[in-house]
Amino acid sequence: MNGLPEANINYDGPMAALVEFQSLTYEIAGRAVLRGIDLRIEENETVVLLGRSGSGKTTLLKMVNRLLEPSSGAVLFSGKSVTASDPITLRRGIGYVIQEGGLFPHQSVAQNVGLVPWLQGWPEDRIAARVRELLEAVGLSAAVYAGRYPKQLSGGEKQRVGIARALAADPPLLLLDEPFAALDPITRFEMQQHFSRLRKAYGKTALFVTHDIREALLLGTRIALLHEGRLDVVASPDDFLRTESVHARAFLATLNEWSPN
């Protein structure tokens, strides 16, 4: 892809776990939301958390950047328990994308993208250069979009800015919570393709929440299916297509659910 860096990634041999969930549980008022989750996210992969509404996938995602705290068990990031880190510092070191990009409406596109580098004390010229680089990388002309505000953007443009902001301080990990769910089908497909290219080009690890089996199969290097707070299947897309899990088969059945007759 023109304008994107070439990531120096070696996929041969074992890779270190960037994120690890160890016997993780989470309860609300005595009700178990997550039940004994054990999962490793290796460097340079995209693990898709797939599941129905209420399965615990967003809850699990939020454990990584301490938006939620586990009832028991542990979450490790780069080999260190996240509870040993200051939550603000932790969050500034992890990219986070939600629906509509989570942009600040009173800030320009350039200010939104450059926010975390600014908080980290980058010099202004370095921030400006990074903003220009990333806007061009996500397919938005910096000359046209840098001075615009979120209300002046389409849904797809907001998501592009959200991804640029998540990449701005060069974090090793991206967390994405159904970022494309609100987009129309064509824009959604375009954004899925764009995200996949960007993640590979910048050499990032991603944890991606969705309830869309097509999106999971397209983007995931592995798919982790949650059902009622438990991991039901963790598999590559090819292996997921062959699994005999009842819950996985229910998702896969939707791939051929529509017929003109």
Side-chain angles (χ1 to χ4, degrees), residues 214 253-261:
R214 293 172 179 82
T254 67
L255 293 173
N256 300 311
E257 68 180 355
W258 184 85
S259 171
N261 298 314

Side-chain angles (χ1 to χ4, degrees), residues 1-6 132-134 136-138 198 201-202:
M1 184 176 178
N2 293 337
L4 293 179
E6 291 296 327
R132 287 194 299 270
E133 172 198 341
L134 288 171
E136 298 295 337
V138 299
L198 282 168
Y202 282 94

